[in-house]
Amino acid sequence: MSLAIRRRLAAWGFLTPMLLGIIIFFIFPLVMTVYYSFTSYNMLSPPKWNNFANWKHLFGNDQVIGKATLNTLWFVAVLVPVRIVGALFVSWMLTKARRAGGVFRTIYYLPALIPPVASTVAFVFVLNPGSGPIASILGWGPIKTVLSWVGFDNPGFFADSSWAKPAHAFLALWVLGDIMVIILASLLNVPTEQYEAAEIDGAGAARRFWYVTIPNIRPVLLFATITGIIAVLQYFTQPSVASATASGNMPHGAGAGKIMGWPENSTLTYGQLLYQNGFSYHNLGYASTMAVMLFLVAGVVMFFLLRRFSDFNPEVAS
């Protein structure tokens, strides 16, 4: 056996476990999900082919999917930039800290270590309009008067359909430690010579930030944007726990899907509606159709983002 053949066999030997994992845990489930999207399937009886009935229902007859899609787009449009801008601001402030920088880094990162369920429950109680400390502060005489002048009067936060989504933005802003760490690392890696050269050329703080800082940390910002969009398209745990906690109703199993979106479907996301159809109403065929649609949308968005920005292409980036 020649040396070239032995090298090829060795390469295939190393690659085989990974290829098997991709086939078993990605390609096979994906193919089966596409197949189920054209069937009527309830997990109790064999799937029955129904042509495009699920897809017609998705685009024409589903009365709730429009609301769930708009809620999800709102979360994508607000939560992703809020977290990135907030993490960038906190990271920039930490680079200016002369004393106790490590203590402040730890303080800002700690909320990211809390499990999402626990942090959401704690945040709901903190913002509880009846007994939460934030509500008590906002309800104090002078503060309440000032807030009422700007229309910020007795917000119900998670219990109010008009305040539920902004309350989730506050929660997302609180747990920005994961993004803050990578942005802080990229800020500390910006060459100081570039700042000095820009300052000699007469650039002020704002121009140095725009023309020196942003280009140097752009790959990290793009990474945070892509991972943030993917995570928010699958936003599930936080709105589910917030709805159950704020409503005072903690159902288990399939019943958990029925409380999702409370109050008035204001926080119902696409992922939650998919769960409801699959596991509360046992309509796996339609849930598979929704899953395929979500996969296609996420794939198209990622494709255009990576085509538009070449930061992850080593040939172009260099």
Side-chain angles (χ1 to χ4, degrees), residues 135-185:
S136 301
I137 295 172
L138 297 180
W140 184 60
I143 295 179
K144 183 178 180 181
T145 304
V146 172
L147 293 178
S148 64
W149 291 344
V150 295
F152 196 81
D153 193 15
N154 295 324
F157 295 112
F158 291 101
D160 186 338
S161 58
S162 59
W163 275 97
K165 286 195 286 290
H168 278 280
F170 298 147
L171 173 60
L173 194 59
W174 183 53
V175 290
L176 50 72
D178 53 339
I179 302 178
M180 181 208 70
V181 169
I182 59 173
I183 292 180
L184 177 61

Side-chain angles (χ1 to χ4, degrees), residues 190-191 194-195 198 207-217:
V190 178
Q194 295 186 13
Y195 286 120
R207 293 176 70 85
R208 290 199 301 274
F209 178 78
W210 184 256
Y211 290 107
V212 177
T213 304
I214 293 297
N216 277 285
I217 68 172

